[in-house]
Amino acid sequence: MTAKGGVDRSALLDLTPRLKRFCLVLTRRAEDADDLLQATVERLLTKGAPAEADLKKWAFRVCRNIWIDELRSRNVRQATSIDDAPDANPVDGERAAMARASLAEVRRALANLPAEQREAISLVAIEGYSYKEAAEIMNAPIGTVMSRLSRARAALAAVFEDAAPVT
């Protein structure tokens, strides 16, 4: 953070890949995620952040609030799926194909979760935030976050239990 409530551009640049992932989780569409990321970075650069705020938490919160505003302005929730992201360094053909299939299954399962559950699992399981930090970002009580995580994990477990091969 800088002294005047501005944002440390270097820290924001380092945070951008994590924000991009979060944008994809929220929007479920690469195009919308790009727009959301741009709006988030623009807002942070123009309006700054409170001097006492942790940039990481503040950026995720700003991102979430911009998305909520966008959903409200659309006045319609669209059912979409997360676009495939490029795979990182496939090892060999068969393993790469299995990894892509598994990743696609996980993406589909995540995309089918309610928005609140997707958000909670993204912040805790993917981004590594504590329950308390996720609650601050989501502006929700910690118990609500824990409940959403529990329901998300149960839903994902049910999807993958059904898909498990019978031996």
Side-chain angles (χ1 to χ4, degrees):
M1 292 291 173
T2 61
K4 296 182 182 177
V7 173
D8 177 352
R9 290 173 185 255
S10 176
L12 184 57
L13 185 60
D14 292 343
L15 186 58
T16 302
R18 294 179 66 197
L19 277 172
K20 171 71 179 213
R21 272 194 311 266
F22 188 59
C23 291
L24 277 168
V25 167
L26 292 177
T27 65
R28 297 188 281 178
R29 289 179 36 111
E31 299 83 10
D32 289 340
D34 289 341
D35 292 343
L36 179 57
L37 179 63
Q38 180 178 345
T40 301
V41 170
E42 181 179 331
R43 172 101 32 102
L44 290 167
L45 290 174
T46 58
K47 299 206 179 212
E52 71 280 357
D54 175 350
L55 176 60
K56 291 176 186 174
K57 290 184 215 173
W58 186 258
F60 278 87
R61 191 170 193 167
V62 167
C63 180
R64 178 181 183 271
N65 289 341
I66 290 171
W67 181 242
I68 288 170
D69 290 346
E70 175 66 23
L71 288 177
R72 286 180 182 150
S73 71
R74 288 180 185 186
N75 207 14
V76 173
R77 296 187 186 262
Q78 299 174 348
T80 58
S81 64
I82 300 175
D83 290 333
D84 287 340
D87 292 328
N89 303 326
V91 178
D92 65 37
E94 184 177 348
R95 282 198 347 218
M98 292 301 290
R100 279 192 300 276
S102 296
L103 185 57
E105 289 175 46
V106 171
R107 285 186 177 138
R108 275 192 297 276
L110 282 171
N112 288 327
L113 292 175
E116 298 83 14
Q117 292 177 21
R118 276 196 327 272
E119 211 177 325
I121 205 148
S122 172
L123 289 170
V124 174
I126 297 171
E127 297 303 328
Y129 284 107
S130 69
Y131 293 170
K132 181 181 177 195
E133 292 168 327
E136 290 171 4
I137 291 168
M138 295 171 66
N139 197 27
I142 194 168
T144 300
V145 172
M146 292 171 68
S147 175
R148 289 174 182 172
L149 277 167
S150 176
R151 288 192 309 268
R153 288 175 176 147
L156 292 173
V159 166
F160 291 106
E161 283 175 7
D162 291 343
V166 178
T167 55

